[in-house]
Amino acid sequence: MNDGALTLVPVPEVFMTVSQEIRLLSDGVNDLQELIGNLVVAGAFGGSHSLYELQSLDRISQSLDAISDYLGGASKLSSPAWKIDVTEASRCVKLAEVSDRLNGIKREGASQDSAGDFDDFELTA
């Protein structure tokens, strides 16, 4: 276990937390879609095959939204008496910021828009 300390959370709350995390991913994909759309308009991508492949972003976004909606629905059908040790469940999550959000941990100075353990690379011209 996790050094004897259990962090038991009702399943409906866990489902809603995961649903919100998936919604963040969907929002990120939508932002990426908008950026790529601007690049397409600017002529950075050529050919219909590239445009067809870009539609996969839309499918990913729709799928993430659907999974988020499913978890929200499952949350409403779950018993609050059912509990999950979220600390133990999140031990395999490699991104600290995601793990913290799944555990309900709020850190000082943490950004919701941050990519977690991702380091920005300096852009060179």
Side-chain angles (χ1 to χ4, degrees):
M1 297 303 276
N2 52 24
D3 301 330
L6 295 176
T7 309
L8 296 177
V9 175
V11 168
E13 186 177 327
V14 172
F15 283 169
M16 285 307 298
T17 299
V18 175
S19 174
Q20 291 166 354
E21 193 65 30
I22 292 171
R23 193 75 64 195
L24 285 174
L25 291 172
S26 178
D27 291 347
V29 170
N30 287 333
D31 291 346
L32 185 58
Q33 221 177 333
E34 185 176 331
L35 170 69
I36 292 174
N38 291 337
L39 292 172
V40 168
V41 169
F45 291 98
S48 62
H49 184 69
S50 294
L51 293 175
Y52 176 77
E53 291 299 322
L54 291 174
Q55 289 179 350
S56 64
L57 284 175
D58 188 49
R59 287 190 293 276
I60 291 169
S61 177
Q62 289 179 25
S63 294
L64 289 170
D65 282 339
I67 293 168
S68 179
D69 292 343
Y70 175 84
L71 286 169
S75 156
K76 294 174 185 168
L77 300 172
S78 302
S79 170
W82 302 339
K83 309 268 187 203
I84 291 176
D85 181 358
V86 294
T87 302
E88 185 64 27
S90 67
R91 281 183 169 224
C92 61
V93 177
K94 304 277 189 269
L95 293 174
E97 188 170 315
V98 173
S99 179
D100 287 351
R101 286 194 306 261
L102 292 172
N103 279 301
I105 297 170
K106 305 225 186 287
R107 301 223 186 252
E108 277 298 309
S111 168
Q112 281 293 91
D113 296 330
S114 173
D117 295 336
F118 174 77
D119 291 323
D120 289 331
F121 294 99
E122 184 177 324
L123 297 176
T124 58

